[in-house]
Coordinates of all heavy atoms in Angstrom, one line a residue:
M1 N 5.6 30.3 14.2 CA 6.6 29.9 15.1 C 7.0 28.4 14.7 O 6.2 27.5 14.4 CB 6.0 29.7 16.5 CG 6.9 29.2 17.5 SD 6.2 29.3 19.1 CE 6.6 27.6 19.7
N2 N 8.4 28.2 14.6 CA 8.9 27.0 14.1 C 8.8 26.0 15.3 O 8.9 26.3 16.4 CB 10.3 27.1 13.7 CG 10.4 27.8 12.3 OD1 9.4 27.9 11.6 ND2 11.6 28.1 12.0
Q3 N 8.6 24.8 14.9 CA 8.5 23.7 15.9 C 9.6 22.7 15.7 O 10.3 22.9 14.7 CB 7.2 23.0 15.9 CG 6.7 22.4 14.5 CD 5.3 22.0 14.5 OE1 4.5 22.4 15.2 NE2 5.1 21.2 13.5
L4 N 9.7 21.7 16.4 CA 10.8 20.7 16.3 C 10.1 19.6 15.3 O 8.9 19.3 15.4 CB 11.2 20.0 17.6 CG 11.8 21.0 18.6 CD1 12.1 20.2 19.9 CD2 13.1 21.5 18.0
P5 N 11.0 18.9 14.5 CA 10.4 17.9 13.7 C 9.9 16.7 14.5 O 10.5 16.3 15.6 CB 11.6 17.5 12.8 CG 12.8 18.3 13.3 CD 12.4 19.2 14.3
T6 N 8.9 16.0 14.0 CA 8.4 14.8 14.6 C 9.4 13.7 14.3 O 10.4 13.9 13.5 CB 7.0 14.4 14.0 OG1 7.3 14.1 12.6 CG2 5.9 15.4 14.1
A7 N 9.3 12.5 14.9 CA 10.2 11.4 14.7 C 10.2 11.1 13.2 O 11.3 10.8 12.5 CB 9.8 10.3 15.5
R8 N 9.0 11.0 12.6 CA 8.9 10.7 11.1 C 9.6 11.8 10.3 O 10.4 11.4 9.4 CB 7.5 10.5 10.7 CG 7.4 10.5 9.2 CD 6.0 10.4 8.8 NE 5.5 9.1 8.7 CZ 4.3 8.8 8.4 NH1 3.3 9.7 8.1 NH2 3.8 7.5 8.4
Q9 N 9.4 13.0 10.6 CA 10.1 14.1 9.9 C 11.7 14.1 10.0 O 12.4 14.3 9.1 CB 9.5 15.4 10.2 CG 8.0 15.6 9.8 CD 7.4 16.8 10.4 OE1 7.7 17.2 11.5 NE2 6.4 17.4 9.7
K10 N 12.0 13.7 11.2 CA 13.5 13.5 11.4 C 14.1 12.5 10.6 O 15.2 12.6 10.1 CB 13.7 13.5 13.0 CG 15.2 13.9 13.3 CD 15.3 14.2 14.8 CE 16.6 14.7 15.0 NZ 16.9 15.1 16.4
R11 N 13.4 11.4 10.6 CA 13.9 10.3 9.7 C 14.0 10.7 8.3 O 15.0 10.3 7.7 CB 12.9 9.1 9.8 CG 13.3 8.2 11.0 CD 12.5 6.8 10.9 NE 11.1 6.9 10.6 CZ 10.1 7.1 11.5 NH1 10.5 7.3 12.8 NH2 8.9 7.3 11.2
I12 N 13.1 11.4 7.8 CA 13.0 11.9 6.4 C 14.2 12.9 6.2 O 14.9 12.7 5.2 CB 11.7 12.6 6.0 CG1 10.5 11.6 6.0 CG2 11.8 13.3 4.8 CD1 9.2 12.2 6.0
L13 N 14.4 13.8 7.1 CA 15.6 14.6 7.0 C 16.9 14.0 7.0 O 17.7 14.2 6.2 CB 15.5 15.7 8.2 CG 14.4 16.7 8.1 CD1 14.4 17.5 9.5 CD2 14.5 17.7 6.9
R14 N 17.0 13.0 7.9 CA 18.1 12.1 7.8 C 18.4 11.4 6.5 O 19.5 11.2 6.0 CB 18.3 11.2 9.0 CG 18.4 11.7 10.3 CD 18.6 10.8 11.4 NE 18.9 11.5 12.7 CZ 18.3 11.2 13.8 NH1 17.5 10.2 13.9 NH2 18.6 11.9 14.9
L15 N 17.3 10.9 6.0 CA 17.4 10.2 4.6 C 17.9 11.2 3.6 O 18.7 10.8 2.8 CB 16.1 9.6 4.2 CG 15.6 8.3 4.9 CD1 14.2 8.0 4.7 CD2 16.5 7.1 4.7
M16 N 17.4 12.4 3.6 CA 17.7 13.3 2.7 C 19.2 13.8 2.9 O 20.0 14.0 1.9 CB 16.9 14.6 2.8 CG 15.4 14.3 2.3 SD 14.4 15.8 2.5 CE 15.0 16.7 1.1
L17 N 19.7 13.8 4.2 CA 21.1 14.1 4.4 C 21.9 13.2 3.8 O 23.1 13.5 3.4 CB 21.2 14.3 5.9 CG 22.6 14.8 6.4 CD1 22.8 16.2 6.0 CD2 22.7 14.7 7.9
N18 N 21.5 11.9 3.7 CA 22.3 10.9 3.2 C 22.2 10.8 1.7 O 22.7 9.8 1.0 CB 21.9 9.4 3.8 CG 22.3 9.4 5.2 OD1 23.3 9.9 5.7 ND2 21.4 8.8 6.1
G19 N 21.4 11.7 1.1 CA 21.4 11.7 -0.4 C 20.2 11.1 -1.0 O 20.0 11.0 -2.2
D20 N 19.3 10.6 -0.1 CA 18.0 10.1 -0.7 C 17.1 11.2 -1.2 O 17.3 12.4 -0.8 CB 17.3 9.3 0.4 CG 18.0 8.0 0.9 OD1 19.1 7.7 0.1 OD2 17.7 7.5 1.8
L21 N 16.3 10.9 -2.2 CA 15.5 11.9 -2.9 C 14.0 11.8 -2.5 O 13.5 10.7 -2.4 CB 15.7 11.7 -4.4 CG 17.1 11.8 -4.9 CD1 17.2 11.5 -6.3 CD2 17.7 13.2 -4.6
I22 N 13.3 12.9 -2.5 CA 11.9 12.9 -2.4 C 11.4 13.6 -3.6 O 11.9 14.5 -4.2 CB 11.5 13.9 -1.2 CG1 11.8 13.2 0.1 CG2 9.8 14.1 -1.2 CD1 11.5 14.1 1.4
W23 N 10.3 13.0 -4.3 CA 9.6 13.6 -5.3 C 8.1 13.5 -5.3 O 7.6 12.5 -4.6 CB 10.2 13.0 -6.7 CG 10.0 11.6 -6.9 CD1 8.9 11.0 -7.5 CD2 10.9 10.7 -6.6 NE1 9.1 9.6 -7.5 CE2 10.3 9.4 -7.0 CE3 12.2 10.5 -6.0 CZ2 11.0 8.2 -6.8 CZ3 12.8 9.3 -5.8 CH2 12.2 8.1 -6.2
E24 N 7.5 14.3 -6.1 CA 6.0 14.3 -6.2 C 5.6 13.0 -7.0 O 6.2 12.6 -7.9 CB 5.6 15.5 -6.9 CG 4.1 15.7 -7.0 CD 3.8 17.1 -7.7 OE1 4.6 17.9 -8.1 OE2 2.6 17.3 -7.9
V25 N 4.4 12.5 -6.6 CA 3.8 11.5 -7.3 C 2.5 12.0 -7.9 O 1.7 12.4 -7.1 CB 3.4 10.2 -6.3 CG1 2.8 9.2 -7.2 CG2 4.8 9.7 -5.8
A26 N 2.4 12.1 -9.2 CA 1.3 12.7 -9.9 C -0.1 12.2 -9.4 O -0.2 11.0 -9.5 CB 1.4 12.7 -11.4
G27 N -0.9 13.0 -9.0 CA -2.3 12.6 -8.7 C -2.5 11.9 -7.4 O -3.6 11.4 -7.2
E28 N -1.5 11.8 -6.6 CA -1.6 10.9 -5.3 C -1.4 11.9 -4.1 O -0.9 13.1 -4.2 CB -0.4 9.9 -5.3 CG -0.6 8.9 -6.4 CD -1.9 8.1 -6.3 OE1 -2.5 7.9 -5.2 OE2 -2.2 7.4 -7.4
S29 N -1.9 11.4 -3.0 CA -1.9 12.2 -1.7 C -0.6 11.9 -1.0 O -0.5 12.1 0.2 CB -3.1 11.9 -0.9 OG -3.1 10.6 -0.4
Y30 N 0.4 11.3 -1.6 CA 1.7 11.1 -0.9 C 2.9 11.5 -1.8 O 2.6 11.8 -3.1 CB 1.8 9.6 -0.6 CG 1.7 8.6 -1.8 CD1 2.9 8.3 -2.5 CD2 0.6 8.1 -2.3 CE1 3.0 7.5 -3.6 CE2 0.5 7.2 -3.4 CZ 1.8 7.0 -4.0 OH 1.7 6.2 -5.1
R31 N 3.9 11.6 -1.2 CA 5.3 11.8 -1.9 C 6.1 10.5 -1.9 O 5.8 9.6 -1.0 CB 6.0 13.0 -1.4 CG 5.3 14.3 -1.4 CD 4.9 14.8 -2.8 NE 4.2 16.0 -2.7 CZ 3.0 16.1 -3.1 NH1 2.2 15.1 -3.5 NH2 2.3 17.3 -3.1
S32 N 7.1 10.4 -2.6 CA 7.9 9.2 -2.6 C 9.3 9.6 -2.2 O 9.8 10.5 -2.7 CB 7.8 8.5 -4.0 OG 8.5 7.2 -4.0
I33 N 10.0 8.8 -1.4 CA 11.3 9.0 -1.0 C 12.0 7.7 -1.4 O 11.6 6.5 -1.0 CB 11.5 9.3 0.5 CG1 13.0 9.7 0.7 CG2 11.0 8.3 1.4 CD1 13.2 10.5 2.0
Y34 N 13.1 7.9 -2.1 CA 13.9 6.8 -2.7 C 15.1 6.6 -1.8 O 16.0 7.5 -1.7 CB 14.3 6.9 -4.1 CG 15.1 5.8 -4.6 CD1 14.4 4.6 -5.0 CD2 16.4 5.7 -4.7 CE1 15.1 3.5 -5.4 CE2 17.1 4.6 -5.2 CZ 16.5 3.5 -5.5 OH 17.1 2.5 -5.9
S35 N 15.3 5.5 -1.2 CA 16.4 5.0 -0.3 C 17.5 4.5 -1.2 O 17.3 3.3 -1.8 CB 16.0 4.2 0.7 OG 17.2 3.7 1.4
E36 N 18.6 5.2 -1.4 CA 19.7 4.6 -2.2 C 20.3 3.4 -1.6 O 20.6 2.4 -2.1 CB 20.8 5.7 -2.3 CG 20.5 6.9 -3.2 CD 20.6 6.5 -4.6 OE1 21.3 5.5 -5.0 OE2 19.8 7.1 -5.5
K37 N 20.4 3.5 -0.1 CA 21.0 2.4 0.6 C 20.3 1.0 0.4 O 20.8 0.0 0.3 CB 21.1 2.8 2.1 CG 21.9 1.8 3.0 CD 22.1 2.3 4.3 CE 22.8 1.2 5.2 NZ 22.9 1.7 6.6
L38 N 18.9 1.2 0.6 CA 18.1 0.0 0.5 C 17.6 -0.3 -1.0 O 17.1 -1.5 -1.2 CB 16.8 0.2 1.3 CG 17.0 0.4 2.9 CD1 15.8 0.8 3.6 CD2 17.8 -0.8 3.5
G39 N 17.7 0.7 -1.9 CA 17.3 0.4 -3.2 C 15.9 0.3 -3.4 O 15.4 -0.5 -4.3
R40 N 15.1 0.9 -2.6 CA 13.6 0.9 -2.7 C 13.0 2.2 -2.4 O 13.7 3.2 -1.8 CB 13.0 -0.2 -1.9 CG 13.2 0.1 -0.3 CD 12.5 -0.9 0.4 NE 12.5 -0.6 1.8 CZ 12.6 -1.4 2.8 NH1 12.8 -2.8 2.5 NH2 12.6 -1.0 4.0
Q41 N 11.8 2.5 -2.7 CA 11.2 3.7 -2.4 C 10.0 3.4 -1.3 O 9.6 2.3 -1.2 CB 10.6 4.3 -3.6 CG 9.5 3.7 -4.3 CD 9.0 4.4 -5.5 OE1 9.7 5.3 -6.0 NE2 7.9 3.9 -6.1
Q42 N 9.6 4.5 -0.6 CA 8.6 4.4 0.3 C 7.7 5.7 0.2 O 8.1 6.7 -0.2 CB 9.2 4.2 1.8 CG 10.1 5.3 2.2 CD 10.7 5.0 3.5 OE1 10.0 4.8 4.5 NE2 12.0 5.1 3.6
R43 N 6.5 5.4 0.6 CA 5.5 6.6 0.6 C 5.6 7.4 1.8 O 5.8 6.8 2.9 CB 4.1 6.0 0.4 CG 3.8 5.3 -0.9 CD 2.4 4.7 -0.9 NE 2.1 4.1 -2.1 CZ 1.0 3.6 -2.5 NH1 0.0 3.6 -1.6 NH2 0.8 3.0 -3.7
V44 N 5.5 8.7 1.6 CA 5.4 9.6 2.7 C 4.2 10.5 2.5 O 4.0 11.0 1.4 CB 6.8 10.5 2.6 CG1 6.7 11.6 3.7 CG2 8.1 9.6 2.7
P45 N 3.4 10.7 3.5 CA 2.2 11.5 3.3 C 2.6 13.0 2.8 O 3.6 13.5 3.3 CB 1.6 11.7 4.7 CG 2.2 10.5 5.5 CD 3.5 10.3 4.9
A46 N 1.9 13.5 1.9 CA 2.2 14.8 1.2 C 2.1 15.8 2.3 O 2.9 16.8 2.3 CB 1.2 15.0 0.1
S47 N 1.2 15.7 3.3 CA 1.1 16.6 4.4 C 2.3 16.7 5.2 O 2.7 17.8 5.6 CB -0.1 16.2 5.3 OG 0.1 15.0 5.8
A48 N 3.0 15.7 5.4 CA 4.3 15.7 6.1 C 5.4 16.5 5.3 O 6.1 17.4 6.0 CB 4.8 14.3 6.4
I49 N 5.4 16.3 4.1 CA 6.4 17.1 3.3 C 6.0 18.5 3.2 O 6.9 19.4 3.4 CB 6.5 16.5 1.8 CG1 6.8 15.0 1.9 CG2 7.4 17.3 1.0 CD1 8.2 14.7 2.6
E50 N 4.7 18.8 3.1 CA 4.3 20.2 3.1 C 4.5 20.9 4.3 O 5.0 22.2 4.3 CB 2.8 20.2 2.7 CG 2.4 19.9 1.2 CD 1.1 19.5 1.0 OE1 0.2 19.6 2.0 OE2 0.8 19.1 -0.1
E51 N 4.4 20.3 5.5 CA 4.6 20.9 6.8 C 6.2 21.1 6.8 O 6.6 22.2 7.4 CB 4.2 20.0 7.9 CG 4.4 20.7 9.2 CD 3.9 19.7 10.4 OE1 2.9 18.9 10.1 OE2 4.4 19.9 11.5
M52 N 7.0 20.2 6.5 CA 8.4 20.4 6.5 C 8.8 21.6 5.7 O 9.8 22.3 6.0 CB 9.1 19.1 6.0 CG 8.9 17.9 7.0 SD 9.5 16.3 6.3 CE 11.2 16.6 6.2
E53 N 8.2 21.7 4.5 CA 8.5 22.9 3.6 C 8.1 24.1 4.3 O 8.8 25.2 4.3 CB 7.8 22.7 2.3 CG 8.2 23.8 1.3 CD 7.6 23.5 -0.1 OE1 6.6 22.8 -0.1 OE2 8.1 24.1 -1.0
Q54 N 6.9 24.2 4.9 CA 6.5 25.4 5.6 C 7.3 25.8 6.8 O 7.5 26.9 7.1 CB 5.0 25.2 6.1 CG 3.9 25.1 5.0 CD 2.6 24.6 5.4 OE1 2.4 24.3 6.6 NE2 1.7 24.7 4.5
Q55 N 7.8 24.7 7.4 CA 8.8 25.0 8.6 C 10.2 25.5 8.2 O 10.9 26.0 8.9 CB 9.0 23.8 9.4 CG 7.7 23.3 10.2 CD 7.2 24.4 11.2 OE1 8.1 25.1 11.9 NE2 6.0 24.6 11.4
G56 N 10.5 25.4 7.0 CA 11.7 25.8 6.4 C 12.8 24.8 6.5 O 14.0 25.1 6.2
W57 N 12.4 23.6 6.6 CA 13.5 22.5 6.7 C 13.9 21.9 5.3 O 15.0 21.4 5.2 CB 13.0 21.3 7.6 CG 12.6 21.8 8.9 CD1 13.1 22.8 9.6 CD2 11.5 21.3 9.8 NE1 12.4 23.0 10.9 CE2 11.5 22.0 10.9 CE3 10.7 20.2 9.6 CZ2 10.5 21.7 11.9 CZ3 9.8 19.9 10.6 CH2 9.7 20.6 11.7
I58 N 13.0 22.1 4.4 CA 13.2 21.6 3.0 C 12.7 22.7 2.1 O 11.9 23.5 2.4 CB 12.6 20.2 2.7 CG1 11.1 20.2 2.8 CG2 13.2 19.1 3.6 CD1 10.4 19.0 2.4
R59 N 13.2 22.5 0.8 CA 12.6 23.6 -0.3 C 12.4 22.8 -1.5 O 13.1 21.9 -1.8 CB 13.4 24.8 -0.3 CG 14.7 24.6 -1.1 CD 15.6 25.8 -1.3 NE 16.9 25.5 -1.1 CZ 17.7 26.0 0.0 NH1 17.1 26.7 0.9 NH2 18.9 25.7 0.0
R60 N 11.4 23.2 -2.2 CA 11.0 22.6 -3.5 C 11.9 23.1 -4.5 O 12.3 24.3 -4.6 CB 9.6 23.0 -3.8 CG 9.0 22.4 -5.1 CD 7.7 22.8 -5.4 NE 6.8 22.7 -4.5 CZ 5.8 21.6 -4.5 NH1 5.7 20.8 -5.5 NH2 5.0 21.5 -3.5
L61 N 12.3 22.1 -5.4 CA 13.1 22.5 -6.6 C 12.3 22.3 -7.7 O 11.8 21.2 -8.1 CB 14.3 21.5 -6.7 CG 15.3 21.5 -5.6 CD1 16.3 20.3 -5.8 CD2 16.1 22.9 -5.6
N62 N 11.9 23.4 -8.3 CA 11.0 23.4 -9.5 C 11.8 22.9 -10.6 O 12.9 23.2 -10.9 CB 10.4 24.7 -9.8 CG 9.4 25.1 -8.8 OD1 8.7 24.4 -8.3 ND2 9.4 26.5 -8.4
N63 N 11.2 21.9 -11.4 CA 11.9 21.4 -12.6 C 11.4 22.0 -13.8 O 10.1 22.1 -14.0 CB 11.5 19.9 -12.6 CG 12.5 19.1 -13.5 OD1 12.9 19.7 -14.6 ND2 12.9 17.9 -13.1
S64 N 12.3 22.6 -14.6 CA 11.8 23.3 -15.8 C 11.5 22.3 -16.9 O 10.8 22.7 -17.9 CB 13.0 24.1 -16.4 OG 14.1 23.4 -16.5
D65 N 11.8 21.0 -16.8 CA 11.4 20.1 -17.7 C 10.0 19.6 -17.4 O 9.7 19.0 -16.4 CB 12.4 18.8 -17.7 CG 12.0 17.8 -18.7 OD1 11.0 17.9 -19.4 OD2 12.9 16.8 -18.9
L66 N 9.0 19.9 -18.3 CA 7.6 19.6 -18.1 C 7.3 18.1 -17.8 O 6.3 17.7 -17.3 CB 6.8 20.3 -19.1 CG 6.8 21.8 -19.2 CD1 5.9 22.2 -20.5 CD2 6.3 22.4 -18.0
C67 N 8.2 17.3 -18.4 CA 8.0 15.9 -18.3 C 8.3 15.3 -16.9 O 8.2 14.2 -16.5 CB 8.8 15.1 -19.3 SG 8.3 15.6 -21.0
R68 N 9.1 16.2 -16.1 CA 9.6 15.7 -14.8 C 8.8 16.4 -13.7 O 8.4 17.6 -13.8 CB 11.0 15.9 -14.6 CG 11.8 15.2 -15.7 CD 13.1 14.9 -15.5 NE 13.3 14.5 -14.2 CZ 14.4 13.9 -13.6 NH1 15.4 13.8 -14.5 NH2 14.6 13.7 -12.5
L69 N 8.6 15.7 -12.6 CA 8.0 16.4 -11.5 C 9.0 17.0 -10.4 O 10.1 16.8 -10.6 CB 7.2 15.3 -10.7 CG 6.1 14.6 -11.5 CD1 5.4 13.4 -10.8 CD2 5.0 15.6 -11.9
D70 N 8.4 17.8 -9.6 CA 9.2 18.6 -8.7 C 9.9 17.6 -7.6 O 9.4 16.6 -7.3 CB 8.4 19.7 -7.9 CG 7.9 20.7 -8.7 OD1 8.5 20.9 -9.9 OD2 6.9 21.4 -8.4
S71 N 10.9 18.1 -7.1 CA 11.6 17.4 -6.0 C 12.0 18.4 -4.9 O 11.7 19.6 -5.0 CB 12.9 16.6 -6.5 OG 13.8 17.6 -7.1
W72 N 12.6 17.9 -3.8 CA 12.9 18.8 -2.7 C 14.4 18.6 -2.3 O 14.9 17.6 -2.5 CB 11.9 18.5 -1.5 CG 10.6 18.9 -1.7 CD1 10.0 20.0 -1.1 CD2 9.6 18.3 -2.4 NE1 8.7 20.1 -1.5 CE2 8.5 19.0 -2.2 CE3 9.5 17.1 -3.2 CZ2 7.2 18.8 -2.9 CZ3 8.2 16.8 -3.8 CH2 7.2 17.6 -3.7
E73 N 14.9 19.6 -1.6 CA 16.3 19.6 -1.0 C 16.3 20.1 0.4 O 15.3 21.0 0.8 CB 17.2 20.3 -1.9 CG 17.1 21.9 -1.8 CD 18.2 22.6 -2.5 OE1 19.1 22.0 -3.2 OE2 18.0 23.8 -2.7
L74 N 17.2 19.7 1.2 CA 17.4 20.2 2.6 C 17.8 21.7 2.5 O 18.6 22.1 1.7 CB 18.4 19.4 3.2 CG 18.1 18.0 3.8 CD1 19.3 17.3 4.2 CD2 17.1 18.1 4.9
T75 N 17.3 22.4 3.5 CA 17.8 23.8 3.8 C 18.9 23.6 4.9 O 19.1 22.6 5.4 CB 16.7 24.7 4.3 OG1 16.2 24.2 5.6 CG2 15.6 24.8 3.4
E76 N 19.6 24.7 5.2 CA 20.5 24.7 6.3 C 19.9 24.2 7.7 O 20.4 23.5 8.4 CB 21.2 26.0 6.4 CG 22.2 26.3 5.2 CD 23.3 25.2 5.1 OE1 23.8 24.8 6.1 OE2 23.5 24.8 4.0
Q77 N 18.7 24.8 7.8 CA 18.0 24.5 9.1 C 17.7 22.9 9.1 O 17.8 22.3 10.2 CB 16.7 25.3 9.2 CG 16.1 25.1 10.6 CD 14.7 25.8 10.6 OE1 14.2 26.4 9.7 NE2 14.3 26.0 11.9
G78 N 17.2 22.4 8.0 CA 16.9 21.0 7.9 C 18.1 20.1 8.1 O 18.1 19.1 8.8
R79 N 19.2 20.5 7.6 CA 20.5 19.9 7.7 C 20.9 19.9 9.3 O 21.3 18.7 9.8 CB 21.7 20.5 7.0 CG 21.7 20.2 5.5 CD 22.9 20.9 4.9 NE 22.7 21.0 3.5 CZ 22.7 19.9 2.6 NH1 23.0 18.7 3.2 NH2 22.6 20.0 1.4
A80 N 20.7 20.9 10.0 CA 21.0 21.1 11.4 C 20.1 20.1 12.2 O 20.7 19.3 13.0 CB 20.8 22.4 12.0
F81 N 18.8 20.0 11.9 CA 18.0 19.0 12.6 C 18.4 17.5 12.3 O 18.4 16.6 13.2 CB 16.5 19.2 12.2 CG 15.9 20.3 13.0 CD1 15.3 21.3 12.4 CD2 15.9 20.4 14.4 CE1 14.6 22.4 13.0 CE2 15.3 21.3 15.1 CZ 14.6 22.4 14.4
A82 N 18.7 17.3 11.0 CA 19.1 15.9 10.5 C 20.4 15.5 11.2 O 20.5 14.2 11.5 CB 19.2 15.9 9.1
A83 N 21.3 16.4 11.5 CA 22.6 16.0 12.1 C 22.5 15.9 13.6 O 23.5 15.2 14.2 CB 23.6 17.1 11.8
Q84 N 21.4 16.2 14.2 CA 21.2 16.0 15.7 C 21.0 14.6 16.0 O 20.3 13.8 15.3 CB 20.1 16.9 16.2 CG 20.3 18.3 16.2 CD 19.1 19.1 16.7 OE1 18.0 18.5 16.9 NE2 19.2 20.4 16.8
P85 N 21.6 14.1 17.2 CA 21.4 12.7 17.7 C 19.9 12.4 18.0 O 19.2 13.3 18.3 CB 22.4 12.6 18.7 CG 22.9 13.9 19.1 CD 22.5 14.8 18.1

């Protein structure tokens, strides 16, 4: 059963809607989201990203370049939640 995003997850979805990127950090228990507007990155618990992926709000983009790590994109459902006030 799908649930509603937490406040933190909704913030992440909104950041992604604005074009900010999430990517894996090798060997760490967090992911990184880069804020284009602020010009800085922040840590996000890997568990929050994994839950968002399981809920169908984001999906992993596998990178065929072995030197690069995976990133994520919004799904239509994730876009709908991000657009809500």
Side-chain angles (χ1 to χ4, degrees):
M1 180 175 129
N2 285 350
Q3 58 187 17
L4 296 176
T6 65
R8 171 187 270 177
Q9 291 168 333
K10 199 162 189 176
R11 273 193 311 276
I12 293 168
L13 292 171
R14 285 187 180 138
L15 287 170
M16 292 178 73
L17 186 64
N18 291 328
D20 295 346
L21 304 172
I22 294 176
W23 64 86
E24 182 180 358
V25 180
E28 298 294 339
S29 63
Y30 62 88
R31 303 296 180 249
S32 185
I33 187 163
Y34 182 77
S35 172
E36 287 285 336
K37 184 176 180 179
L38 299 176
R40 67 176 189 216
Q41 65 183 13
Q42 57 186 303
R43 293 179 180 185
V44 178
S47 59
I49 301 302
E50 290 164 4
E51 183 177 333
M52 292 170 66
E53 187 176 20
Q54 290 170 356
Q55 292 294 328
W57 305 329
I58 61 175
R59 71 177 143 251
R60 182 186 301 259
L61 297 172
N62 291 321
N63 195 325
S64 59
D65 182 351
L66 296 177
C67 296
R68 302 204 41 169
L69 298 174
D70 294 339
S71 59
W72 287 261
E73 70 177 359
L74 283 170
T75 63
E76 288 304 314
Q77 185 181 17
R79 286 183 194 285
F81 279 126
Q84 291 177 356

